[in-house]
Amino acid sequence: MKRRELLTLWIRAAMAAGMTASIPAVLLRSYNSHADILAAGLSDPAMQPLFVNPAPNALTAGFKYVPHAGKLQIRMARAIQMTGLLGANGVTPVPTVIWGYGPKNGSVTWPGRTLERNVNDDPLEVIWENDLIEQGSVLQHLIPVDSSLHWAYSLYGFEHNTIEQDGIPVVPHVHGGHNDSPYDGNPEFFFSPGYKVKGPRWVSKNYLYGGPDWNDVAGTCWYHDHALGITRLNVYAGLAGFFTIRDGSDTGLPDNPLGLPSDPYELGFAVQDRMFKSSGQLFYPAFPGDPFYSDFIDDEDVELPPDVFPDGGPTALAEFFGDHMLVNGMLWPKYNVEPRQYRVRLLNGCDSRFMRLCLNLVADYETDPAHGVRIPFYIIGSDQSLRASAVQVEEIDFAPGERVDLVIDFKEVAPGSRLILTNLLGDAPFGGEEPDADELFPDRRTDRVMAFDVSLPLSDTPDSLITDGYLLGGGVSVGEVTRVRKLALFEGQDQYGRLQPLLGTAEPVRDVLGNNVNGTLAWHEPVTENPQLGATELWEIYNATGDAHPIHLHLVHFEIVNRQGFHAKLVEQPVLQNDGSEGVGYRLEKIRLQGQVWGPTAQEQTRRDVVTALPGEVTRIKMKFDKPGRFVWHCHILSHEDHEMMRPFHVGPGPF
């Protein structure tokens, strides 16, 4: 009998005998969550195969777009994809309906095909088409949409628009791109199928990427949807893909000057967690009885008015943790490798999940990483650039929206070996502490991501020679600071009492309209961050919440300077909601710094666009604002950014 079955029988017996108090809290939570999952007709991850299906490589030449005369047409459309998921009988593969990106007259995929350009190329013009329409009718969302949020069709002048009539609003954002404002994927630049509805700041369906003032060094960017208030849902449906940048050193060719592994020894893997129904349909909790609904609604005594939430939903929940791990849209896959060095670029495309990754060597093609031993690997870069030199580590933290660039040396293990890419963190918000023991349910499998099987013979292609300290020539420095801003992260409540993560200031400031403000601010309130064109600023981000937040700034690449603990008085104050009502917000008073200052980690010593702001700490970053216009900064926990943890900033003079 399986461990889960034994635990279930024991828990049921204890509950029947009135001995609930004897059940450890973590097991009782796990049992209840598992019961919710089975009751909802969801796929049981324990029924799914591990490390059987091959992982698609997003960086293989055949998966990259090929521009014609410097132009591409990319559409967003519906497709059916096999993810390796087995149905309720545990035998029959079942299909999943997804939304993907693809060429104008070709098929779409999750993830979308990879965009790639060299910094010396002419600008790439991309025409984005919203083809979420079939047989003349707009598609409805694959995921329940909470229209009580501040979202695209709740904006002034757009309230009469609906998904049922007008379709899904989308807008692509090249994450990590040094984009001009009109082509940045601002959430208010959205457009519906056929451009029937265009957002209040929409400019053009033709976007330009590249040129002398775009990204000027090699790095790993990605592209994904960024429509206001439904980013989490559109990305969950499949709208994401890689966008790699090359330069004269990191060419991607076998003779590249840095001696880095190249195709077919350069791999790109987007890691995402999901939930599925047993039929293969994507599942996202939003109603009473769904997993985690009670955690954020019932257990917090939130009373949702039935005129807005007629069935108790659909409602946004504060975080999402899936119980199935996918790599490039394939469930718990494997990748067969030669005994040589491989370059492995990883993208954390999860909604809320932080990971702590390591490699475990296991015997006899074992599937449980707990039975293995650690194998070190090399960090050579992250986000927007390489490091100055390679550094060897045994584990690495991995935040939503972040990219890490690694070299793994598979000749360090015997041929026939298996290495499991392991996640040491649990199914819970991350606080920077040691791995969380909280599990979704017994026998969870989110502690493993994929496997590398050293099963291929060594080819005649010369191996790479990356070692600790190997010079790469990257790193980052953005110059002298001309202004310091104090900003803050808060957890408040919206007008319905739901947890609402918020950005704001950590000091009194004047917004661009001359109003005096301090503390929490919703998306729609006037801009408070208005750097001068060409200014270099230091942002001090005070995290007054209990959890870590991956903070992402559009436009810039930044240098992570340091972190430090702080104490402050948290003072409650109202925060204006998009419908004119009030929620609960805060401001900080009597901020006192404490303890040692500590610098960036090994993976953070590059050009960055995501930084993990840990609870109770101030995180300092500096960057140069060298393009005019409107951009945004936000938490890259997608459930947070969709519920107001996002703010605009404007570079240079208005209009705002």
Side-chain angles (χ1 to χ4, degrees), residues 166 260 289 293 547:
D166 304 297
L260 294 172
Y293 182 97
D547 302 319

Side-chain angles (χ1 to χ4, degrees), residues 240-404:
F242 277 94
F243 194 138
T244 52
I245 314 296
R246 303 290 188 180
D247 62 15
S249 297
D250 184 4
T251 63
L253 300 175
D255 61 350
N256 71 89
L258 294 178
L260 294 172
S262 61
D263 189 26
Y265 308 113
E266 182 181 27
L267 313 178
F269 296 133
V271 181
Q272 297 175 296
D273 56 353
R274 295 289 186 267
M275 301 184 82
F276 295 90
K277 291 189 175 181
S278 295
S279 62
Q281 181 181 347
L282 286 169
F283 175 84
Y284 197 87
F287 290 95
D290 287 349
F292 318 123
Y293 182 97
S294 60
D295 296 329
F296 294 109
I297 304 300
D298 299 333
D299 294 353
E300 298 300 321
D301 297 323
V302 176
E303 296 185 6
L304 299 178
D307 59 326
V308 181
F309 307 93
D311 299 311
T315 177
L317 303 178
E319 279 108 17
F320 170 84
F321 295 92
D323 54 5
H324 294 62
M325 301 296 288
L326 294 104
V327 176
N328 288 348
M330 185 61 68
L331 195 68
W332 282 297
K334 68 172 182 176
Y335 199 87
N336 295 329
V337 297
E338 300 175 19
R340 63 161 64 242
Q341 291 190 341
Y342 281 71
R343 182 179 185 178
V344 181
R345 304 197 202 207
L346 299 176
L347 157 65
N348 185 339
C350 298
D351 182 294
S352 306
R353 183 181 296 279
F354 284 78
M355 289 174 267
R356 179 167 294 158
L357 300 177
C358 66
L359 283 171
N360 283 9
L361 173 65
V362 297
D364 301 322
Y365 293 103
E366 170 69 64
T367 60
D368 188 346
H371 300 158
V373 296
R374 294 278 190 93
I375 297 296
F377 53 90
Y378 300 98
I379 303 173
I380 64 168
S382 68
D383 282 12
Q384 296 187 29
S385 80
L386 297 171
R387 282 177 43 87
S389 61
V391 60
Q392 190 176 58
V393 298
E394 287 196 354
E395 63 183 39
I396 187 170
D397 283 353
F398 195 29
E402 185 178 13
R403 291 84 67 209
V404 291

Side-chain angles (χ1 to χ4, degrees), residues 119-137:
V119 298
N120 298 313
D121 292 342
D122 292 332
L124 174 65
E125 180 180 349
V126 178
I127 301 172
W128 298 97
E129 299 282 354
N130 184 343
D131 282 349
L132 294 170
I133 187 168
E134 288 189 355
Q135 298 179 345
S137 298

Side-chain angles (χ1 to χ4, degrees), residues 486-640:
K486 298 181 184 296
L487 303 162
L489 316 178
F490 300 95
E491 285 182 350
Q493 293 178 331
D494 69 9
Q495 66 270 46
Y496 304 112
R498 296 177 296 187
L499 187 150
Q500 185 178 52
L502 294 158
L503 304 178
T505 69
E507 60 183 346
V509 300
R510 285 194 176 187
D511 64 30
V512 294
L513 299 183
N515 304 306
N516 294 317
V517 296
N518 186 10
T520 47
L521 295 164
W523 160 264
H524 59 275
E525 299 192 69
V527 168
T528 48
E529 288 71 59
N530 180 210
Q532 295 181 10
L533 183 61
T536 297
E537 296 194 349
L538 179 78
W539 285 19
E540 297 184 338
I541 302 171
Y542 292 81
N543 186 349
T545 79
D547 302 319
H549 296 269
I551 300 301
H552 170 50
L553 273 73
H554 289 213
L555 171 66
V556 300
H557 66 259
F558 55 73
E559 177 184 353
I560 299 175
V561 179
N562 57 45
R563 296 177 173 91
Q564 187 176 9
F566 76 94
H567 278 302
K569 182 179 180 181
L570 199 61
V571 180
E572 185 176 314
Q573 64 184 30
V575 59
L576 186 65
Q577 302 295 307
N578 67 292
D579 63 359
S581 62
E582 287 186 350
V584 176
Y586 297 92
R587 68 178 182 273
L588 297 178
E589 293 184 352
K590 299 180 180 179
I591 297 175
R592 302 181 307 281
L593 299 175
Q594 63 171 23
Q596 297 292 318
V597 174
W598 55 289
T601 64
Q603 76 205 67
E604 294 178 330
Q605 295 166 11
T606 68
R607 294 188 177 196
R608 299 284 297 185
D609 53 62
V610 175
V611 61
T612 297
L614 295 168
E617 294 186 359
V618 54
T619 302
R620 300 182 178 96
I621 60 175
K622 64 177 180 177
M623 52 267 166
K624 185 174 183 178
F625 297 91
D626 57 356
K627 287 192 175 185
R630 185 180 176 94
F631 302 91
V632 298
W633 70 289
H634 59 85
C635 176
H636 220 283
I637 293 175
L638 301 182
S639 291
H640 288 186

